[in-house]
């Protein structure tokens, strides 16, 4: 490999090569611009294919890290072109590029672009909300929609809004904080404030959607596992002309009373075969946070499988 590529790999080699060693049971050494792989033929061949992809990404100017190894392995396993994933930049802000990081994230982005309504179901850390907000901001910037609306049902980890102190804004703020955090990652604060003052970007509890028809809008319902079936139906029927809807949630993190049915579980049986509606299902393998988060998600899933404690309503 070239000296420049070797230098790039060397700069981040500890994490990347450790990730390769962990997943492929090979001995991998980088000395100067010489990289050697030792192990059985099958693992060496796999490692070679992955390293070839990593080198091409580096040569193409892409930043890589330990998580890139998982993305490359997933792409190779599913016969996907890794460049199609990394080069699909959804939004740029202050030199930061937001793009899919896994094969499933790429399919999610494509589903949102191609469908009127997209449901994203899966564990925390899979980028469901973040990517949807990036696509919404991009659609607003490109004048594909006139406004962006972000909403959540008013149930949060067992704490209802009525028990939070202060007026409506003070109550909504901590509960909507993750949505604001994502917006601040993508839009300058002054511009975001102007958008919100004009109503171009609206962040509000789900109850504020009742009775409205939302035209020319990109609408995101987050934490949808905490909707009732009636709330889900109410929300989906707000859809107006020229609008796009994304619904995100994790059916393993339902904060509703045990006897209350979840609208996100319920809706899958009702709308699964409807045209222009897509369902994208993420797994623990798509978690793009700290590696330990992926292991925690998988451990909880395994426990639920073993004990039969899945929520079925």
């Amino acid at each position: 490999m070239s000296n420049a590529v070797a230098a790039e790999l060397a700069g981040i080699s500890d994490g990347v090569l450790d990730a390769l060693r962990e997943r492929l049971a090979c001995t991998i050494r980088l000395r100067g611009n010489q990289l050697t792989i030792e192990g059985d033929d099958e693992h060496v061949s796999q490692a070679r294919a992955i390293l070839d992809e990593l080198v091409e990404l580096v040569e193409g100017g892409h930043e890589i890290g330990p998580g890139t190894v998982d993305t490359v392995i997933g792409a190779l396993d599913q016969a996907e072109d890794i460049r199609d994933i990394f080069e699909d930049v959804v939004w740029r802000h202050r030199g930061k590029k937001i793009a899919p990081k896994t094969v499933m994230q790429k399919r999610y982005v494509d589903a949102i672009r191609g469908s009127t309504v997209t449901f994203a179901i899966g564990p925390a850390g899979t980028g469901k909300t973040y990517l949807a907000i990036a696509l919404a901001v991009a659609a607003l910037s490109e004048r594909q929609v006139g406004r962006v609306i972000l909403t959540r049902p008013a149930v949060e980890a067992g704490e209802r809004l009525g028990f939070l102190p202060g007026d409506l804004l003070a109550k909504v703020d901590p509960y909507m904080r993750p949505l604001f955090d994502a917006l601040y990652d993508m839009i300058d604060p002054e511009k975001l404030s102007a958008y919100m003052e004009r109503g171009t970007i609206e962040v509000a509890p789900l109850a504020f959607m009742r009775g409205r028809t939302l035209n020319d809008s990109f609408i995101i319902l987050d934490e949808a596992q905490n909707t009732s079936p009636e709330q889900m139906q109410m929300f989906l029927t707000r859809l107006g002309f020229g609008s796009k809807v994304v619904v995100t949630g994790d059916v393993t993190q339902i904060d509703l009373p045990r006897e209350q049915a979840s609208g996100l579980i319920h809706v899958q049986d009702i709308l699964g075969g409807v045209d222009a509606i897509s369902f994208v299902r993420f797994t623990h393998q798509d978690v793009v946070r700290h590696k330990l988060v992926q292991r925690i998600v998988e451990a909880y899933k395994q426990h639920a499988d073993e004990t039969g404690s899945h929520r079925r309503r």
Side-chain angles (χ1 to χ4, degrees):
M1 69 181 74
S2 72
N3 289 333
V5 172
E8 178 74 16
L9 279 177
I12 44 91
S13 65
D14 284 349
V16 172
L17 299 187
D18 282 349
L20 272 172
R21 294 181 187 110
E22 178 185 337
R23 287 155 186 72
L24 297 175
C26 290
T27 301
I28 301 170
R29 298 187 183 90
L30 180 63
R31 292 193 180 91
N33 65 350
Q34 295 295 313
L35 192 143
T36 59
I37 308 169
E38 297 173 7
D40 62 57
D41 289 347
E42 182 181 352
H43 286 141
V44 167
S45 177
Q46 282 181 301
R48 173 91 193 201
I50 292 163
L51 281 163
D52 285 346
E53 295 283 353
L54 291 173
V55 167
E56 284 198 36
L57 287 173
V58 171
E59 289 176 339
H62 296 284
E63 292 182 9
I64 67 171
T68 314
V69 173
D70 288 328
T71 305
V72 171
I73 290 172
L76 290 171
D77 285 347
Q78 298 179 55
E80 300 273 353
D81 188 332
I82 189 68
R83 276 154 298 282
D84 286 347
I85 298 172
F86 277 83
E87 292 175 4
D88 188 358
V89 177
V90 172
W91 181 244
R92 287 183 171 88
H93 180 59
R94 292 185 177 273
K96 178 180 180 179
K97 294 190 295 188
I98 299 172
K101 294 182 178 178
T102 69
V103 173
M104 193 56 70
Q105 283 193 354
K106 168 64 174 165
R107 290 179 183 167
Y108 176 44
V109 167
D110 289 343
I112 293 174
R113 287 175 177 147
S115 302
T116 303
V117 179
T118 303
F119 289 87
I121 301 167
T126 49
K128 304 182 299 295
T129 304
Y130 198 80
L131 279 171
I133 292 176
L135 283 158
V137 170
L140 184 66
S141 173
E142 293 160 13
R143 300 177 186 247
Q144 295 171 3
V145 296
R147 60 181 169 169
V148 170
I149 298 170
L150 311 178
T151 186
R152 282 181 155 192
V155 180
E156 186 72 4
E159 184 175 33
R160 296 176 183 273
L161 284 180
F163 294 100
L164 294 175
D167 61 14
L168 178 67
L169 187 60
K171 287 183 177 185
V172 166
D173 187 63
Y175 150 84
M176 295 292 189
R177 192 79 247 162
L179 302 180
F180 283 111
D181 288 345
L183 285 170
Y184 281 118
D185 261 5
M186 300 173 201
I187 305 174
D188 290 331
E190 302 81 13
K191 191 170 186 179
L192 178 56
S193 294
Y195 275 148
M196 295 190 72
E197 284 175 15
R198 294 198 303 265
T200 305
I201 294 180
E202 179 182 347
V203 183
L206 181 59
F208 280 46
M209 302 301 111
R210 191 173 297 278
R212 302 170 65 181
T213 300
L214 304 173
N215 296 313
D216 190 30
S217 303
F218 196 121
I219 312 145
I220 299 170
L221 170 58
D222 191 37
E223 300 289 349
Q225 74 276 5
N226 290 329
T227 60
S228 67
E230 294 77 16
Q231 286 176 314
M232 179 65 77
Q233 182 180 3
M234 178 276 290
F235 170 76
L236 293 173
T237 53
R238 300 309 92 204
L239 176 66
F241 293 105
S243 291
K244 191 177 286 287
V245 167
V246 180
V247 178
T248 70
D250 176 4
V251 294
T252 70
Q253 296 286 329
I254 297 172
D255 299 316
L256 296 168
R258 191 75 189 178
E259 68 279 3
Q260 171 66 65
S262 166
L264 187 58
I265 294 177
H266 186 252
V267 77
Q268 296 177 63
D269 295 330
I270 297 171
L271 299 182
V274 177
D275 288 343
I277 296 179
S278 295
F279 284 84
V280 179
R281 292 177 173 85
F282 292 93
T283 71
H284 73 281
Q285 293 175 324
D286 298 299
V287 172
V288 292
R289 293 180 185 167
H290 191 288
K291 187 55 89 181
L292 188 56
V293 174
Q294 188 178 104
R295 292 174 185 152
I296 290 169
V297 170
E298 175 59 11
Y300 270 92
K301 179 181 180 299
Q302 185 176 339
H303 178 266
D305 289 343
E306 290 171 354
T307 60
S309 58
H310 292 287
R311 183 144 176 172
R312 305 196 181 279
R313 297 185 66 191

